[in-house]
Amino acid sequence: MTNATSIPVLALDGPSGSGKGTIARAVADRLGWHMLDSGAIYRAVGHAAGVRDVDLSDAETMARLAAETRIEFLDPGDGGDARVFVDGVDATDAIRTETAGAAASAIAALPAVRKALLDKQLAFRKSPGLVADGRDMGTVVFPDAPFKVFLTASPAERAERRYKQLKAKGLDVTLTSLLHEIEVRDARDASRAVAPLRPAGDAVVIDTTGQPIPAVVAQVLAVVRKARS
Ligand code: DC
């Protein structure tokens, strides 16, 4: 049997809007590795809490829900994003709503929930390798990952990316309010007591501000190649 810890992991962490999701998918495709979207796991639990009308601040019940909720990722087979099933129901679109995002952010601050979700995340470590996208992949979930990258981008650029995404969905938003939200969320994520958002000591930090996606993908792949050679 393969020892899970011998399976390579690329931990790709960073704040929202740093381009993590897009870069993680592209790098996983290039390497032919599995992919863990850990944010989707927090969102799925936030969504499950909404469906069951659980109080998000009830840490004990939330931790139980986090452990019991069945979360499955299904490859659509057409090169598109994985579909996410929560307790057997397709929740791909539901977990991307602002409501599910806010619920995810609230429960992500509960240590018991983070602990309950640890095994679910570790189970993604499968041969030939894993690209793990999140906030604490390199610091808490896969501290032994041989490859660690922390992506950043200026708050102004992250707000601009989010603005374009939301506008494309037809939502009525302003750049100023998005920038404010990002600054507030950054401060909260970086200062929370459990698993605060920060680069692992051994992570390579890449600033994606002003950089096209292929250029960032190339830099991340270079980190993997360099660490392997
Ligand atoms: O990356 P995202 O926006 O889908 O993440 C949703 C929320 O989950 C976000 O508020 C941060 C939290 N999260 C976390 O605390 N740890 C992770 N590894 C991934 C996400």
Side-chain angles (χ1 to χ4, degrees):
M1 209 181 104
T2 317
N3 175 1
T5 55
S6 68
I7 298 170
V9 174
L10 164 64
L12 200 56
D13 291 304
S16 62
S18 59
K20 269 179 313 144
T22 311
I23 305 296
R25 245 185 328 272
V27 171
D29 281 352
R30 290 282 292 274
L31 293 170
W33 287 6
H34 298 280
M35 152 107 201
L36 163 61
D37 174 357
S38 62
I41 291 188
Y42 284 90
R43 286 170 178 273
V45 175
H47 169 70
V51 170
R52 295 187 193 198
D53 207 15
V54 173
D55 173 3
L56 297 176
S57 62
D58 177 347
E60 204 177 308
T61 310
M62 276 311 312
R64 204 172 332 117
L65 186 66
E68 285 170 2
T69 301
R70 258 189 315 121
I71 306 164
E72 291 150 312
F73 292 81
L74 263 84
D75 184 344
D78 59 4
D81 287 347
R83 297 210 71 80
V84 184
F85 286 74
V86 179
D87 288 328
V89 178
D90 189 340
T92 314
D93 296 328
I95 65 161
R96 296 291 157 204
T97 60
E98 292 299 306
T99 315
S105 174
I107 60 156
L110 301 172
V113 168
R114 302 198 75 88
K115 192 158 170 260
L117 292 178
L118 207 51
D119 283 347
K120 280 189 176 31
Q121 296 175 81
L122 293 174
F124 280 78
R125 191 170 192 166
K126 288 190 185 140
S127 192
L130 175 70
V131 177
D133 155 2
R135 306 290 197 286
D136 60 344
M137 299 296 102
T139 49
V140 178
V141 182
F142 302 106
D144 66 327
F147 318 111
K148 296 183 187 179
V149 171
F150 190 88
L151 295 181
T152 62
S154 70
E157 175 138 342
R158 285 156 48 210
E160 180 94 32
R161 289 174 186 168
R162 187 107 186 97
Y163 179 76
K164 284 188 189 147
Q165 272 174 0
L166 296 175
K167 276 283 177 192
K169 283 191 195 166
L171 296 173
D172 185 22
V173 283
T174 69
L175 200 51
T176 322
S177 66
L178 286 175
L179 180 58
H180 177 68
E181 270 173 37
I182 280 182
E183 285 171 342
V184 170
R185 192 157 145 178
D186 278 359
R188 191 177 55 213
D189 285 350
S191 65
R192 73 175 172 224
V194 53
L197 178 66
R198 61 173 171 80
D202 49 353
V204 176
V205 178
I206 299 176
D207 187 344
T208 69
T209 309
Q211 293 213 58
I213 292 163
V216 181
V217 170
Q219 286 171 68
V220 175
L221 287 169
V223 169
V224 175
R225 285 197 201 101
K226 192 167 166 223
R228 276 180 148 176
S229 61

